Amino acid sequence: MDGGIPLQDSVVYGPIHSRRLGHSLGINILPVSHKVCSSNCVYCQYGWTVSGRFPERLKKAPELLKEIEESFSRLVHSGTRVDCVTLAGNGEPTLHPELEAVIIGLKALRDVYFPKAPVGILSDSTQITRHKVRQAIGWLDVCYMKFDAAEESTWRRINDPLGHTDFQAMIRVLHELPDVILQSMFVQGTYDNTDDGHLATWIDRVAWIHPQSVQVYTIDRPTAAAGITKVPRPILEGIAARLTEATGVPAEVFD
Ligand code: SF4
């Protein structure tokens, strides 16, 4: 596989039946014409992160919330099932400069339209060293934080963080954040983070971070880089079992 799937073309998308989240209503607070991300993961389903100037501007919080409310209202009237509301979309949502205002407004709309649905975020973890981002995500019901690589060299190879993120500082903040759920993507083929040495370090680091749980998964969509392959389920199950046995941290497998 080489390339990716099309970007989300609206602020609210889905609900999509996600392997990990159930009927998840996606919220994209980023542009629809290009991906905006602080990483350039080799397995990204949206292809490579391209830098440069794009004519589309970021929508401000009031504009986003107005569109979100209109969509929520339509979905309630059509009786659509929504298990959770998840900030994700076309890149890294914590890059939005008005993240806190968006999250507070989104939670207020959730209370009105989908009062039982937790509001969460899928994040690449790189921005959590910023106080403003930590303060914003503190309002969320659940934070799914990417942690594919326990060593800086593997992180740079697989997630290719853009900008200046201090790997050790990022792990320290993951450790300090309460009740995070780590998401660890495992890949094989042209890139591989399933070797024994890396797994041993990953288990040590996960134990130190001490998350609420870990989601162990692999690709199920086209990837940015060519030659990446799915990790067979028995291997994922072995990784999850090894983690839980060594650390007591619950791990769920998705393939
Ligand atoms: S963090 Fe997510 S959106 Fe960004 S490059 Fe990685 S997989 Fe793609």
Side-chain angles (χ1 to χ4, degrees):
M1 288 181 283
D2 188 4
I5 62 169
L7 292 167
Q8 303 301 335
D9 60 1
S10 54
V11 176
V12 177
Y13 60 96
I16 44 178
H17 186 64
S18 148
R19 293 175 296 167
R20 292 162 286 150
L21 307 174
H23 289 85
S24 170
L25 191 61
I27 307 292
N28 169 47
I29 61 176
L30 299 169
V32 295
S33 58
H34 58 285
K35 179 170 52 145
V36 175
C37 197
S38 29
S39 297
N40 197 7
C41 303
V42 293
Y43 57 75
C44 186
Q45 63 181 357
Y46 295 128
W48 297 114
T49 308
V50 178
S51 58
R53 287 179 167 274
F54 295 90
E56 188 184 354
R57 61 178 178 82
L58 272 180
K59 287 179 179 161
K60 293 202 180 300
E63 193 181 347
L64 288 167
L65 292 167
K66 184 167 174 288
E67 282 189 43
I68 292 169
E69 176 153 29
E70 285 165 4
S71 296
F72 278 15
S73 171
R74 272 199 303 275
L75 288 161
V76 165
H77 281 106
S78 62
T80 305
R81 173 178 165 186
V82 171
D83 297 330
C84 61
V85 176
T86 310
L87 283 154
N90 298 335
E92 173 51 38
T94 61
L95 293 175
H96 195 288
E98 293 181 301
L99 183 66
E100 187 170 22
V102 171
I103 290 174
I104 291 171
L106 180 59
K107 286 195 73 178
L109 293 174
R110 180 280 310 271
D111 290 347
V112 174
Y113 293 96
F114 304 108
K116 294 192 180 138
V119 179
I121 194 167
L122 301 184
S123 171
D124 73 357
S125 306
T126 61
Q127 304 303 306
I128 55 173
T129 53
R130 294 164 53 205
H131 173 73
K132 198 176 159 188
V133 169
R134 286 199 300 281
Q135 188 169 305
I137 66 174
W139 291 94
L140 290 166
D141 302 314
V142 56
C143 293
Y144 299 95
M145 309 305 288
K146 189 182 287 301
F147 190 64
D148 305 335
E151 293 156 353
E152 181 159 3
S153 55
T154 311
W155 179 59
R156 294 207 174 277
R157 204 167 59 249
I158 289 184
N159 302 112
D160 189 12
L162 309 169
H164 299 285
T165 301
D166 179 331
F167 182 67
Q168 301 301 340
M170 182 181 85
I171 293 180
R172 267 199 307 280
V173 177
L174 283 174
H175 166 74
E176 287 160 10
L177 287 176
D179 297 331
V180 291
I181 295 176
L182 295 184
Q183 293 198 321
S184 294
M185 164 74 89
F186 288 96
V187 289
Q188 289 182 330
T190 42
Y191 295 84
D192 194 327
N193 57 349
T194 63
D195 65 277
D196 229 45
H198 177 254
L199 286 178
T201 313
W202 177 79
I203 288 169
D204 281 355
R205 289 269 162 102
V206 172
W208 188 72
I209 293 170
H210 202 68
Q212 190 185 117
S213 63
V214 180
Q215 298 186 334
V216 170
Y217 67 121
T218 190
I219 57 164
D220 74 340
R221 302 234 168 101
T223 56
I228 295 180
T229 56
K230 260 175 112 72
V231 179
R233 188 172 179 97
I235 295 182
L236 297 176
E237 282 171 350
I239 294 170
R242 197 169 147 189
L243 173 73
T244 304
E245 198 174 309
T247 66
V249 174
E252 266 186 291
V253 171
F254 301 88
D255 65 350

